[in-house]
Each structure stands twice: as C-alpha cells, then as structure tokens.
Amino acid sequence: MPSDMAVDYDGLIPNNVGLNADPRLRRALEQWHPSYLDWWMDRGPDGFQAADVYLRTAVGVDQEGWAKFGYVRMPEYRWGILLAPQVEGRTIGFGAHKGEMAWQEVPGEYRAMLRRLITVQGDTEPASVEQQRRLGATAPSLYDLRNLFQVNVEEARHLWAMVYLLQKYFGRDGREEAEDLLRRRSGDRDTPRLLGAFNERTPDWLAFFMFTFFTDRDGKMQLHALAQSGFDPLSRTCRFMLTEEAHHMFIGQSGIGRVLEAICAAMKKAGIDDPHDIARVRQLGVIDLPTMQKRANMHFSLTLDLFGSELSTNAANAYQAGIKGRYLEDQIDDDHALTGATYPVLRLKDGAIVREEVPALSALNMRLRDDFVADAQSAVERWWNRIVERSGIDYRITLPHVAFNRRIGEFATIEADPEGKVLSAQEWARRRDEFLPSAEDDAFVASLMKPVREPGKFASWIAPPRTGIDNKPGDFEYVKLA
Ligand code: BYC
C-alpha cells in the first residue's frame, strides 16, 4: 500500500487509495472514465474545452502545498481520487456505536442508508457543473472565467470522489448508481437531479456568485456532517473535499463583495445617495442594491430547502447509526447520543409560525440548518455589509426569515414575507416582486452580461480582485483562449 500522503500520478487516475493494488476497482473506474469524459464534453463548460486554463490540481493531501498551478486544457485535467490521511485508531464519535472502531468496510445493516447519502451527495456535484455550463460565454474577466472553471473541475472531482466510494464499497449497485449519476440532468423534466436547488437555472454571473456563496456553503455544512461519519472512507473523502470547498465559497463571497464595491463606487462617483433610486443607479452600468437583496433572498431560501424537513427520521436514523453527525460533532460537549435532549424548531401550528421544543434527534436537519444560517449571516456581515458600510451608503443586506419562499418542509404550504409574516396567496402574488427578482430585474442583470476577455480588464458591474490567483499580477492571462 502506498502511504496515505503519497499520490500515485502514473496511471490514468491519480490516487492515494492504492488503485494499482485493486485491479477489480481499477477496471471498474477505467470503464466509467469514457462515459465520464463524454459527460464532461457534452454537459461541462460550453465552448472552452480547447482553451489553456491556469488551474490548480491536487497533488497531495497534506495541509500545505497540495495544489500545483499550471495551464491545462480542461478535458486533460487530472481528476483524481484523494482521501485525507487515515487517523490511527479513529473511533466512531456519536450514536449507538460511539466508541467502537470506525468502519473500514460498509456495515451491512447500514448499506442502503449509506448508499443513498453518497448518491445524493454525488448527484449535486455534476448537477452544479451542468447548471454553470453556459456562463463562460459572458465572463466579466479572464480571472473570473478561470475561477468558474476551477470550481467546475473540482466539483467534477467531487463526483469522482463519490463514484470511488460507490464503486469500491457497493459492488454492482454502486456501479449502477455511478452510471445514473451521469444519466440524470439538471433541470431535465424526465431525469432531473435529486435535490431541488440543483435543478434551478444559473442564468448569469450574479447567480453563480450567489450559488457559490449560499449553496456551496450548504455543501460545506453537509460535508462537515459526513466528515464525522463512522464509515471512515466517507469521512476521509469529505475531509479532503472540504479543502476544495473553501475556495469555492471564497469565489462566491469575494465575487459578491466585488459587485458591491462596483455599485458603491459608481454611486459615490455619480453623487447618488439613495440606494432605491434604481433607474439612475442602473444607468451607471452596475446592479442596484435592492436587486442584490432580492437575489440573496432567492438563493438563501432555495438553499434552505437542501437541509430537508424540520423533523426527519432519516436524519435521526443516520445519526444513531453513526453515519452522519452534526457540524463539528467532535467539538460539541455532550453525550453524542442526544438521549432525552430537545432542540427548538420553528413550526407551523394553525397557520402561525411557532417555536417548539422537539426531540433533538429528530431535529438534526434543523440544527445543521441553524449552523448554516449563522455561518452565512456572519459572512454577509463580514464580506458584504462591511463594504457597503465603508462606502457610507445607508443600506444593509439581510437574510430573510426561514419561512420565506420555501418548497420543502413545514413552510412549503404557506407564503411569508422576508420578516416571516404569513401572507395570503393574494397578498403574496401582489407583493412577490418586492421580495424576489422580477422579470425586469433579471432582464437588467442579463443586459450587463457581456464578456470581457482582455487580460486585466473587468466588466463595469464588478470590481477587480485585490490579489490574483497564485499571487499573479493583475494583467495575468488566466485563460488562453484557443
Ligand atoms: N429536494 O427526511 P427528510 C453540495 C426528500 S450541497 C428534493 O427531511 P433527509 C454542493 C428526502 O430525500 C450538499 N427532495 O430528508 C454545493 C426524503 O426522501 P425519502 C449536498 C428532498 O434525508 C454546491 C424526503 O424528502 N449534500 O455538496 O433528512 C455545488 C423526506 O425528507 C429535498 C447533501 O445534501 C430537496 N431539497 O434530508 C456542488 C448530503 N429535501 O428518503 C455541490 C447528503 C428532502 O423519503 N444528503 N427531500 O425518499 C442528505 O443528508 C439528505 O438526503 C438531505 C435530506 C439533507 C438532502
């Protein structure tokens, strides 16, 4: 066996899982590879497959220096299977098996549950690549174009990570799931992706930045919960994926931050103080702040749906089984069994939103969602509102109430405004465009989406980044177009 840290780069599939010593698995993955490449060419970035892109590739799994930067054509990217190092003597940290040695093989009684979780996680990865497929055509700079492609190749690597687990540990069923992951299509009527938000459109770059801010942050929370798993290969896989996820969220938060910088700078320069003077702000070639708020409302609420329902026996069972833990489970000071514990959850009772104490085991989805909301809230303050505040413009972006615009769970049956006030269907219909982007708002954003391809130049609606990727200078040619 190669050591945990050493990545074998010689074969078709770079890996640190000893693929050479497992011919059956290697064959299965090599058979899947051509279908994967067909999927990438057919459903991946449209029109840039021959360009040289300055990408990072994982070449090791230790904390420092795991990434190597260089120009790559995307179809030649080395998608590898990389697990975080095995922790000697790791035990299961929660649930009925707490204290037992972590499993290196799938425990029979939890096989179906594990396969489902891995499949759901795996399904989101190619879905996001499909959603972002056409964005390259309208990138606001070569820097952003490169960042989009970095996200795309790494989400595709996350697909490889889940396919490895399916193929290695789930035999024939796993191989079938791996094929289905390439068969489902984001937004397709007959074979949609499994989770709602991954069937939505990502029509423009503002949607891309909001998605990487909010939806990748759900990815972070879910991966953290799975990284606690007693099934050690899943835990190690997710721990390494988290190192990549951090960069995706950086792209989202700095992307929105740069949009806000451009807005505030343009407003100051034109002497506009009133953020609600939308027509004048838009004439400056930047997005207006109320539209930013509406887009945030939309992406935040769509992402909340990804946490499942308020009360979930699936989540309770996965916890008791030691398969999916809480966010930072290993840093929580309690019995890690949740015996007799309760958790406060917002529920719908007789048409009103009320807080109710429920058994903590059944509320695990909400606990993770609350952790997500706190994380998103602090990022909004740190990365967004501070920029607006510094410019002296009187405006704050806020996150809407969890009952706003929901399709999953308790609040799917009602309408509520961003403050959480329940609205009648008529009132919602009348006021919807106050809360969510209108067709006109979207058309305005779409009108700004003109490609900028000169090194060092940026579209009017977005400020340049403070520093380059890999410390490259401002006019670095991140993508050499073919
Ligand atoms: N859409 O018991 P419940 C990422 C279903 S993002 C459609 O509450 P559970 C990424 C549910 O399947 C992170 N259906 O569900 C980000 C269940 O069906 P069954 C992705 C939904 O299991 C950016 C039924 O409703 N990873 O990585 O407690 C770019 C009852 O619901 C939805 C994960 O999500 C929905 N939104 O929770 C790229 C982690 N929600 O079983 C990547 C793995 C629920 O009755 N997945 N349903 O037929 C899970 O942990 C869980 O499956 C969920 C759902 C949290 C998603």
Side-chain angles (χ1 to χ4, degrees):
M1 275 294 273
S3 92
D4 275 331
M5 294 298 202
V7 179
D8 169 6
Y9 245 85
D10 297 336
L12 177 66
I13 305 162
N15 71 91
N16 70 341
V17 295
L19 213 51
N20 270 338
D22 190 344
R24 190 200 58 82
L25 174 63
R26 202 182 70 198
R27 237 186 344 267
L29 286 167
E30 285 177 357
Q31 273 169 15
W32 185 78
H33 191 253
S35 324
Y36 165 78
L37 271 183
D38 285 348
W39 166 82
W40 176 266
M41 295 306 286
D42 190 32
R43 307 299 302 163
D46 188 20
F48 292 88
Q49 304 286 0
D52 286 311
V53 188
Y54 193 71
L55 293 175
R56 69 173 187 188
T57 306
V59 292
V61 292
D62 46 346
Q63 282 295 313
E64 304 95 38
W66 59 267
K68 184 172 132 267
F69 285 88
Y71 284 104
V72 190
R73 289 199 192 114
M74 286 187 281
E76 288 152 29
Y77 190 78
R78 304 295 306 279
W79 284 285
I81 298 168
L82 302 164
L83 272 58
Q86 187 162 353
V87 176
E88 207 58 52
R90 177 169 180 261
T91 55
I92 300 167
F94 57 94
H97 302 279
K98 183 175 174 305
E100 295 173 22
M101 287 302 287
W103 299 297
Q104 299 305 327
E105 294 295 331
V106 174
E109 73 246 67
Y110 304 134
R111 194 170 188 278
M113 178 193 287
L114 258 174
R115 195 185 80 186
R116 179 177 165 279
L117 284 173
I118 294 169
T119 301
V120 172
Q121 180 63 47
D123 191 68
T124 63
E125 315 290 1
S128 69
V129 176
E130 292 168 350
Q131 288 172 297
Q132 295 159 14
R133 166 173 165 69
R134 297 196 194 281
L135 290 176
T138 55
S141 71
L142 291 182
Y143 167 88
D144 291 291
L145 188 60
R146 176 262 169 214
N147 283 351
L148 167 71
F149 295 152
Q150 185 72 59
V151 170
N152 291 162
V153 294
E154 285 179 353
E155 297 300 3
R157 202 202 67 72
H158 292 178
L159 167 64
W160 272 93
M162 292 301 121
V163 163
Y164 159 73
L165 293 175
L166 288 168
Q167 302 245 26
K168 173 149 173 96
Y169 296 100
F170 295 86
R172 194 195 166 138
D173 304 357
R175 286 196 293 281
E176 282 169 14
E177 292 284 17
E179 277 160 28
D180 284 346
L181 286 170
L182 297 176
R183 208 167 287 140
R184 284 185 290 271
R185 305 232 143 153
S186 174
D188 192 274
R189 245 192 31 206
D190 303 321
T191 54
R193 291 294 173 183
L194 297 176
L195 300 178
F198 291 89
N199 287 302
E200 298 287 329
R201 292 172 61 242
T202 308
D204 53 53
W205 278 77
L206 185 55
F208 171 66
F209 291 134
M210 289 285 178
F211 182 96
T212 41
F213 184 87
F214 287 115
T215 310
D216 277 89
R217 195 174 302 274
D218 167 49
K220 166 184 162 181
M221 306 312 289
Q222 300 287 355
L223 289 175
H224 264 290
L226 294 173
Q228 300 285 342
S229 185
F231 178 49
D232 205 40
L234 176 61
S235 166
R236 292 174 56 202
T237 301
C238 292
R239 272 184 272 146
F240 185 68
M241 288 163 75
L242 277 164
T243 58
E244 296 165 316
E245 204 68 24
H247 181 60
H248 305 178
M249 285 192 308
F250 162 79
I251 289 172
Q253 52 211 23
S254 62
I256 302 285
R258 290 162 52 215
V259 177
L260 292 169
E261 264 179 50
I263 298 172
C264 296
M267 285 176 66
K268 295 307 280 178
K269 192 163 166 224
I272 303 173
D273 291 327
D274 179 7
H276 298 281
D277 196 348
I278 289 171
R280 275 180 72 209
V281 172
R282 287 185 179 181
Q283 271 174 10
L284 306 172
V286 292
I287 300 165
D288 55 281
L289 291 167
T291 296
M292 297 297 284
Q293 175 68 65
K294 289 195 226 176
R295 284 290 185 107
N297 288 350
M298 185 175 85
H299 284 270
F300 178 72
S301 54
L302 279 173
T303 302
L304 292 187
D305 281 342
L306 294 172
F307 289 87
S309 16
E310 281 74 1
L311 304 185
S312 167
T313 42
N314 285 341
N317 291 339
Y319 187 85
Q320 274 178 315
I323 296 293
K324 184 179 174 189
R326 289 171 289 176
Y327 179 57
L328 306 180
E329 178 79 41
D330 47 5
Q331 296 173 30
I332 300 173
D333 183 18
D334 66 10
D335 69 354
H336 301 279
L338 302 177
T339 319
T342 63
Y343 191 80
V345 168
L346 288 184
R347 305 201 61 193
L348 194 63
K349 281 278 148 75
D350 304 321
I353 299 167
V354 296
R355 189 174 296 275
E356 194 178 273
E357 287 290 329
V358 300
L361 266 178
S362 64
L364 284 162
N365 284 347
M366 289 309 96
R367 174 153 187 157
L368 194 61
R369 197 192 69 188
D370 288 345
D371 288 332
F372 162 82
V373 173
D375 198 61
Q377 181 66 55
S378 93
V380 164
E381 292 307 328
R382 202 173 53 242
W383 289 82
W384 299 3
N385 283 334
R386 202 168 283 172
I387 289 170
V388 182
E389 201 180 291
R390 259 196 235 119
S391 77
I393 292 167
D394 185 17
Y395 197 87
R396 279 191 75 241
I397 294 184
T398 54
L399 295 178
H401 193 277
V402 295
F404 170 78
N405 191 39
R406 300 297 308 282
R407 298 290 167 267
I408 297 279
E410 298 269 316
F411 306 119
T413 55
I414 58 154
E415 297 297 356
D417 71 9
E419 279 72 50
K421 180 168 162 275
V422 179
L423 301 180
S424 69
Q426 292 90 323
E427 203 175 352
W428 169 263
R430 190 168 59 76
R431 297 185 57 197
R432 182 217 170 268
D433 288 358
E434 277 176 44
F435 314 136
L436 289 169
S438 64
E440 201 190 333
D441 297 329
D442 286 345
F444 172 70
V445 175
S447 77
L448 294 177
M449 298 296 131
K450 305 258 165 53
V452 175
R453 299 211 171 138
E454 204 181 314
K457 293 274 185 295
F458 289 80
S460 63
W461 58 271
I462 190 162
R466 287 198 198 267
T467 48
I469 294 294
D470 192 26
N471 281 320
K472 292 294 176 205
D475 60 353
F476 185 71
E477 193 174 4
Y478 287 101
V479 182
K480 291 185 181 161
L481 299 165

